[in-house]
Amino acid sequence: MGKVIDKLAWITIKDGKFLAVRSQGKELFYLPGGKRELGESDEQALVREIKEELSVDLVPSSIHYAGTFTAQADGKAEGVSVQLTCYFADFSGELATAAEIEELRYIDSSDQPICSLAALVVLRWLKDQQRIR
């Protein structure tokens, strides 16, 4: 078993598409979220990361587990994988890029070429669940 990068990710869906983000200087889109800091619960870390990246507040009572997905980590050595523990949640505020995020976009299965490997795994699952087109 290689190295696993453990991350939390937020799934929000609108009009048959889900929200993905792209970092400055990168080409591929991924799910917004990030890593837990010491002592944080998944919910606390997700709320903090989404506020930092997208300037919105997740509604804590609406956060619910979606699934855990693993894929090869983009731009990392072979055998380095990323594990995304994904949650659905409602939010308040206006989505706006912040921190290292350069672009946000709602994507569906027609956007596979611009997705990171981990985002592709989630995209296929959402499509199988008939949550996105």
Side-chain angles (χ1 to χ4, degrees):
M1 179 91 189
K3 179 172 162 42
V4 176
I5 301 166
D6 182 33
K7 295 184 95 169
L8 300 167
W10 176 43
I11 300 174
T12 185
I13 297 170
K14 184 172 105 179
D15 304 329
K17 299 180 172 209
F18 74 97
L19 183 70
V21 296
R22 185 175 60 76
S23 292
Q24 288 163 357
K26 303 272 199 229
E27 289 176 23
L28 298 174
F29 283 79
Y30 60 92
L31 278 82
K35 296 178 180 168
R36 292 172 206 81
E37 289 181 355
L38 199 62
E40 277 184 323
S41 69
D42 283 10
E43 288 82 1
Q44 289 169 326
L46 202 58
V47 167
R48 177 184 51 76
E49 284 283 351
I50 298 308
K51 181 75 173 175
E52 286 172 8
E53 293 183 356
L54 295 168
S55 312
V56 296
D57 294 299
L58 296 186
V59 179
S61 61
S62 74
I63 298 173
H64 63 282
Y65 177 73
T68 301
F69 306 93
T70 305
Q72 165 69 30
D74 291 285
K76 305 284 187 205
E78 188 64 42
V80 177
S81 57
V82 60
Q83 176 177 291
L84 295 180
T85 304
C86 298
Y87 291 87
F88 293 110
D90 299 327
F91 68 95
S92 61
E94 288 293 312
L95 287 166
T97 58
E100 74 276 12
I101 306 303
E102 187 164 36
E103 186 180 355
L104 60 89
R105 184 189 299 187
Y106 282 91
I107 63 176
D108 63 19
S109 45
S110 67
D111 296 306
Q112 293 188 35
I114 62 167
C115 289
S116 69
L117 294 171
L120 270 179
V121 173
V122 177
L123 182 153
R124 291 180 185 132
W125 177 77
L126 290 169
K127 183 146 177 61
D128 287 347
Q129 299 269 317
Q130 299 178 327
R131 292 176 184 262
I132 64 165
R133 39 179 195 270

